[in-house]
Amino acid sequence: MLSNSEKQTQRLGFCLGACLRAGDVVLLEGEMGAGKSVLTRAAARGMGVEGPVPSPTFTILNIHEGSAMKLYHFDLYRLEGEDALYEMGLEEFIPARDGASLIEWPQMAAEAMPPDHLAIDIRYANDGMDREISLLPAGAFDQERIDEILSMMEDCHEYPDD
């Protein structure tokens, strides 16, 4: 899908968050500044998380309480591979039994990522003005789940923080 504004990316994130279930893993890929954190903050709102949702760039993981479950927000950009993730004991939250895991820069610990996940690839498009966003389901996270998110997006014409 083509997102031509930050608000549209936020709408997608909000609908994603509203449709997530405990145990879901979302892998967010894309260049620096493409919109991974924007999408994650909006997903947090969709999960009922209140308050700020800062990027866990230096802490690797931030845990937020949502209305029905927790959000495990990972930023693996500074991670030096799967071994570092295991040494910190963070793999126990991928997947998490009591929440959903959204993981920015999953390629930094690719072998630790589960086979059941939703990969979201965000790329610059149209000279950087727009974003091309691909939703790629794998394993138990299937096309039916993608359709649920997109259907909700059709009914949600504004990002709730508007």
Side-chain angles (χ1 to χ4, degrees):
M1 75 176 281
L2 188 67
S3 173
N4 57 18
S5 70
E6 185 172 298
K7 290 292 182 196
Q8 190 171 11
T9 300
Q10 289 171 324
R11 278 182 43 235
L12 173 61
F14 182 84
C15 295
L16 167 68
C19 293
L20 288 175
R21 303 172 188 158
D24 282 345
V25 175
V26 179
L27 309 179
L28 297 161
E29 301 179 17
E31 297 174 63
M32 187 77 67
K36 297 179 297 294
S37 293
V38 168
L39 190 95
T40 299
R41 280 190 290 278
R45 296 293 170 253
M47 294 174 68
V49 172
E50 296 180 6
V53 179
S55 178
T57 301
F58 295 102
T59 60
I60 308 295
L61 170 64
N62 287 338
I63 303 171
H64 303 278
E65 289 288 338
S67 55
M69 64 180 163
K70 294 179 181 178
L71 165 62
Y72 293 86
H73 180 198
F74 290 83
D75 185 331
L76 304 183
Y77 183 74
R78 299 195 185 290
L79 202 69
E80 294 182 15
E82 293 85 9
D83 290 342
L85 187 75
Y86 295 129
E87 287 170 12
M88 291 184 273
L90 298 178
E91 79 282 358
E92 72 180 275
F93 303 117
I94 308 171
R97 286 176 280 135
D98 62 347
S101 301
L102 275 74
I103 305 169
E104 297 183 46
W105 302 99
Q107 65 271 29
M108 303 307 284
E111 291 184 20
M113 298 302 113
D116 299 326
H117 63 265
L118 170 62
I120 298 180
D121 187 46
I122 305 173
R123 299 283 168 204
Y124 290 101
N126 301 327
D127 295 326
M129 301 302 294
D130 300 326
R131 303 294 186 269
E132 182 64 42
I133 303 175
S134 301
L135 306 175
L136 309 163
F141 204 113
D142 59 14
Q143 186 61 44
E144 186 175 310
R145 301 283 307 281
I146 301 294
D147 294 343
E148 179 184 352
I149 295 163
L150 296 177
S151 175
M152 184 177 188
M153 243 189 112
E154 288 177 14
D155 296 334
C156 176
H157 299 289
E158 292 184 19
Y159 178 60
D161 279 357
D162 284 347

